[in-house]
Amino acid sequence: MGGFPILSLMLLVPLAGAIACLFVGDRAARQIALGATLVDFVLGVLLWANFDIGGAQWQFTERADIFAGFTWALGIDGIALMLIMLSVFLMPVCIGASWNAITKRVGEYMAAFLFMEVLMIGTFAAQDLFLFYIFFEAGLIPMYLIIGIWGGDNRIYASYKFFLYTLLGSVLMLIAMFWMTDYAGTTDIPTLLQTDFPPEAQTWLWLAFFASFAVKMPMWPVHTWLPDAHVQAPTAGSVILAGVLLKLGGYGFIRFSLPMFPEASAQFAWLIFALSMVAVVVTSLIALIQHDMKKLIAYSSVAHMAIVTVGLFAFNVQGLEGAMIVMLSHGLVSGALFLCVGVIYDRLHTREIARYGGLSINMPRYAVLFLLFTMASIGLPGTSGFVGEFLSLAGIYQISSWVAFVCTTGIILGAAYMLWLYRRVAFGEQKNADAAAMPDLSGREIALLAPIAAVVLWMGVYPESFLAPMRSDIAALDARIARATPHSDAQLALSESGGDHDAAATEEHGLEGAH
């Protein structure tokens, strides 16, 4: 784009909107927030349209020295592009979902969301180590406020738990960043990606970053903040929390842990697999017994993100591509499911599954869209969920058939709890007159859900649109970590049998040489 600073502009637009929202009335704040997020979405589309697939790894780069060695450095690759697109796509939906639901301190609420958009885009675009850390950690603040001020009855407990969990691990990451800067002599992320850190240091660096990213994902057993945060957050807060903020942990693994510490990543792959297998099974079983719709979807998020981690640590292209598609798909589908919960919560003011039933009779449009997102969540072919899960499981199967088998049970359990949820909400008898009297989706609600439904089907039918910008970057990452690929079950068996064969061959060759 001829050196045009589009990334800085994408940060400036919501920042200016956030400041403006603080000084205007409620109606104007809503309009400014929606306008700013739509402008950022248009800029995101321009970013995607001008991205040179197969070109330079880092594009739209901007760099300026600010003070004391601190650098304003922005740039994206295909992986960051897709996550930025996810962010700018969901943010107008969040503003629309809050249009009537939020009635107190509307200006501050809209400002918090716009400020969070700045921080999310900044995290994905940052090319300086400490600039990344600032964006990454500052994202806690607006989400903490959204839960703590506009959340449910137990919002204070949930917001403190969310803040303390996510902050604690990041302190260790900051210490590791100081060591890396001292060792490499730079804070430039592209340079650090090519730096070979000593294997003995990689172990400690990997663990320090893991402490932060595991909580953000969230991985079992540090996931307990997530159900509380989702239940207490307003609908739009749950959408952006599940849609984008959980992806910061996965992005951290892709950007830092795997390429910068490949030997340590291979060394700890067993830990990732073990935690992910437990997460898939345990959180799916917990989801089966939930009575609150939001809690059920929250626990399903932990299970889905576990598929992301096994895909990432499969150390092959299929696993990496699958993990990225699962992240994108989960961002859309879980966000849409939380919107579906919000639609009926706004009418009946309860999330108890037992209070509903037979909604397909009086809310047929709602039932159709809810069914689509339910099927996408369990990975029905033709939806986005199938593509990502298939690639991730195909990738991990090359490493361990047992890990693939256990993780596949998550799909079966996912079908159980999601279809049972849908059956209790949309089908059956209409036992409660107030639920039977609820009106179907309004024009505004259709406008929020229909675009997500279209993208879910688009990704399911033609995933190449989303894979193409990332393919060269995933190939580069795969080449970087290839030297440290963990042994698969088959390779270990072959190496054991091959070791005896090689020893016999060597002995035979030595005898021939003696003759």
Side-chain angles (χ1 to χ4, degrees):
M1 298 184 68
F4 182 72
I6 187 171
L7 292 174
S8 291
L9 184 60
M10 290 181 73
L11 298 175
L12 181 61
V13 168
L15 180 60
I19 295 170
C21 284
L22 296 174
F23 299 100
V24 297
D26 292 355
R27 180 180 176 84
R30 292 186 180 100
Q31 293 171 341
I32 290 171
L34 182 61
T37 53
L38 288 173
V39 168
D40 242 25
F41 175 67
V42 172
L43 290 172
V45 172
L46 286 173
L47 196 71
W48 192 356
N50 287 275
F51 187 81
D52 182 14
I53 296 175
Q57 180 178 8
W58 302 105
Q59 301 181 28
F60 309 103
T61 54
E62 306 170 26
R63 184 170 295 274
D65 293 326
I66 302 178
F67 63 89
F70 185 78
T71 305
W72 178 261
L74 302 177
I76 60 168
D77 61 357
I79 294 170
L81 169 68
M82 287 293 101
L83 291 170
I84 287 175
M85 285 306 304
L86 178 65
S87 305
V88 297
F89 177 74
L90 287 177
M91 194 55 74
V93 174
C94 292
I95 301 300
S98 309
W99 204 261
N100 297 325
I102 302 299
T103 56
K104 66 173 185 177
R105 304 178 74 169
V106 175
E108 290 96 327
Y109 178 88
M110 297 299 171
F113 264 91
L114 291 173
F115 188 50
M116 187 154 53
E117 183 172 24
V118 174
L119 299 171
M120 291 187 305
I121 296 172
T123 301
F124 297 132
Q127 288 204 308
D128 181 85
L129 196 61
F130 293 109
L131 184 64
F132 166 85
Y133 184 82
I134 291 170
F135 282 129
F136 184 82
E137 286 307 307
L140 295 175
I141 299 170
M143 195 67 223
Y144 168 78
L145 295 174
I146 288 167
I147 297 172
I149 298 174
W150 294 277
D153 295 336
N154 204 22
R155 59 186 180 274
I156 302 300
Y157 168 78
S159 59
Y160 273 112
K161 190 174 183 181
F162 162 75
F163 190 85
L164 292 174
Y165 262 72
T166 49
L167 180 66
L168 186 62
S170 299
V171 175
L172 297 174
M173 184 173 73
L174 181 61
I175 296 170
M177 285 180 170
F178 280 120
W179 190 93
M180 292 164 62
T181 302
D182 182 64
Y183 179 86
T186 182
T187 59
D188 182 57
I189 290 176
T191 303
L192 290 169
L193 287 170
Q194 304 303 320
T195 302
D196 294 325
F197 293 101
E200 61 276 9
Q202 284 189 29
T203 300
W204 297 106
L205 294 171
W206 189 93
L207 289 170
F209 276 80
F210 176 74
S212 178
F213 299 150
V215 174
K216 278 284 202 299
M217 284 291 287
M219 294 182 68
W220 185 90
V222 288
H223 67 289
T224 56
W225 62 269
L226 184 67
D228 293 318
H230 272 309
V231 168
Q232 298 304 321
T235 297
S238 292
V239 171
I240 207 65
L241 177 60
V244 182
L245 292 182
L246 298 190
K247 311 305 175 286
L248 297 179
Y251 179 74
F253 280 125
I254 292 170
R255 185 63 74 228
F256 295 94
S257 300
L258 288 170
M260 294 187 187
F261 323 124
E263 284 84 4
S265 295
Q267 176 188 348
F268 287 108
W270 65 269
L271 174 64
I272 297 292
F273 296 155
L275 295 179
S276 299
M277 286 190 291
V278 172
V280 165
V281 176
V282 171
T283 57
S284 295
L285 292 174
I286 294 173
L288 273 170
I289 62 172
Q290 294 305 312
H291 303 289
D292 184 300
M293 282 186 276
K294 264 195 171 185
K295 265 198 174 179
L296 188 152
I297 299 168
Y299 280 111
S300 78
S301 293
V302 180
H304 281 99
M305 296 310 288
I307 302 295
V308 173
T309 49
V310 295
L312 291 176
F313 283 81
F315 278 67
N316 53 47
V317 171
Q318 292 97 325
L320 293 168
E321 288 183 347
M324 279 303 305
I325 294 295
V326 171
M327 282 203 287
L328 296 174
S329 171
H330 178 263
L332 296 168
V333 174
S334 65
L337 287 171
F338 280 118
L339 283 174
C340 289
V341 174
V343 164
I344 53 179
Y345 179 80
D346 288 342
R347 288 159 170 75
L348 210 57
H349 300 291
T350 179
R351 292 182 298 268
E352 285 293 317
I353 300 171
R355 291 283 286 112
Y356 298 96
L359 293 188
S360 58
I361 299 171
N362 57 306
M363 300 179 71
R365 291 194 295 268
Y366 173 82
V368 168
L369 286 169
F370 190 20
L371 178 63
L372 171 62
F373 299 127
T374 299
M375 291 302 176
S377 178
I378 64 179
L380 182 75
T383 65
S384 57
F386 172 76
V387 179
E389 290 180 356
F390 179 83
L391 284 171
S392 290
L393 293 173
I396 194 58
Y397 183 77
Q398 298 177 36
I399 297 295
S400 172
S401 55
W402 280 108
V403 176
F405 171 77
V406 173
C407 290
T408 303
T409 62
I411 298 175
I412 300 167
L413 292 171
Y417 60 72
M418 289 305 301
L419 290 175
W420 193 34
L421 168 67
Y422 187 81
R423 183 237 178 263
R424 288 179 288 171
V425 171
F427 295 146
E429 265 185 70
Q430 290 190 314
K431 298 177 182 177
N432 299 299
D434 48 2
M438 293 193 304
D440 206 353
L441 294 176
S442 66
R444 177 182 62 86
E445 290 163 341
I446 292 174
L448 298 178
L449 290 169
I452 303 179
V455 178
V456 166
L457 292 172
W458 175 18
M459 191 182 296
V461 173
Y462 191 60
E464 180 63 16
S465 302
F466 303 87
L467 285 170
M470 301 186 291
R471 182 158 285 124
S472 60
D473 302 302
I474 288 175
L477 175 59
D478 182 59
R480 172 75 177 162
I481 62 180
R483 64 184 183 182
T485 301
H487 288 294
S488 68
D489 295 343
Q491 286 172 327
L492 288 173
L494 284 172
S495 64
E496 288 170 4
S497 61
D500 297 336
H501 174 75
D502 292 343
T506 302
E507 184 180 355
E508 183 181 350
H509 179 73
L511 289 172
E512 289 176 357
H515 287 305

